[in-house]
Amino acid sequence: MDDIVKAALAKWPNVPHCHGWLGLDARGQWYMRDDRTQAAGPFPQSKGSLLRHDKLVAFIHRNYLADEEGQWYFQNGPQRVYVELEATPQVWRLQPDGGVLAHTGAPALVRSSWVDEAGRLYLDTDIGFGLVHTADMALAADRVEAGDWSPQDVRAAELPARYGYVMSPEAKKKAGQ
């Protein structure tokens, strides 16, 4: 977490959390969801505006965390901005040298791999659970064929409970959980 964010938290410790305003899609892209977008429907059916400002995206990446309930958020100064997930909290980018990076740029070590009923590939790593980016499936196939990964079958609907993440903190809040 950035030092400036830590200082803001110390100065203003009781700022209310924000829900529904930020989404992460299955390709690791961030979307800002204003009132009109939220009124049009839940994420990802109503995505909002793609964030393209490199410094803002880098700031979000550095301050992207999970709470004790498995809800992922961006710590924006003193305010937690909870993230609506299209798929998983991490989106993995595979590197030609065999490395695995989160959509945030953080390196990861793979512990296990999973494939769902739609053929999507997931990795459990030392820094969390996520979906392999669709553009990297050829590299993923190479890893499977080489015997580096042996994906086990899983139902996509089971993944949030199995790996302890919340797809929609906004829906959870509305349900009063």
Side-chain angles (χ1 to χ4, degrees), residues 71-152:
Q71 299 176 107
W72 285 79
Y73 65 93
F74 154 53
Q75 189 69 50
N76 183 24
Q79 185 173 52
R80 280 187 182 181
V81 179
Y82 281 98
V83 177
E84 300 292 299
L85 302 174
E86 180 175 1
T88 57
Q90 303 289 344
V91 177
W92 305 119
R93 297 308 315 256
L94 307 185
Q95 306 303 299
D97 68 359
V100 176
L101 299 178
H103 66 281
T104 62
L109 298 174
V110 177
R111 297 189 291 216
S112 63
S113 57
W114 302 87
V115 64
D116 73 11
E117 62 276 8
R120 293 174 292 208
L121 181 65
Y122 304 85
L123 303 176
D124 180 29
T125 76
D126 63 326
I127 64 168
F129 183 79
L131 176 69
V132 173
H133 194 288
T134 56
D136 296 339
M137 290 307 291
L139 289 172
D142 291 344
R143 299 292 298 269
V144 171
E145 288 176 8
D148 297 336
W149 302 338
S150 298
Q152 302 299 306

Side-chain angles (χ1 to χ4, degrees), residues 2-21:
D2 288 358
D3 288 338
I4 192 169
V5 172
K6 291 176 188 174
L9 280 167
K11 188 172 183 177
W12 299 291
N14 298 315
V15 173
H17 302 322
C18 179
H19 291 81
W21 285 81

Side-chain angles (χ1 to χ4, degrees), residues 21-82:
W21 285 81
L22 187 62
L24 178 68
D25 77 1
R27 296 178 66 80
Q29 299 176 109
W30 298 102
Y31 287 84
M32 184 63 63
R33 305 182 69 244
D34 62 15
D35 286 330
R36 184 179 56 79
T37 301
Q38 290 180 52
F43 190 79
Q45 290 79 19
S46 181
K47 282 191 172 180
S49 301
L50 176 63
L51 294 180
R52 297 180 188 273
H53 191 279
D54 291 340
K55 288 186 179 182
L56 174 59
V57 170
F59 182 63
I60 293 171
H61 287 171
R62 290 192 310 273
N63 297 285
Y64 181 55
L65 307 161
D67 70 12
E68 59 282 347
E69 296 176 23
Q71 299 176 107
W72 285 79
Y73 65 93
F74 154 53
Q75 189 69 50
N76 183 24
Q79 185 173 52
R80 280 187 182 181
V81 179
Y82 281 98

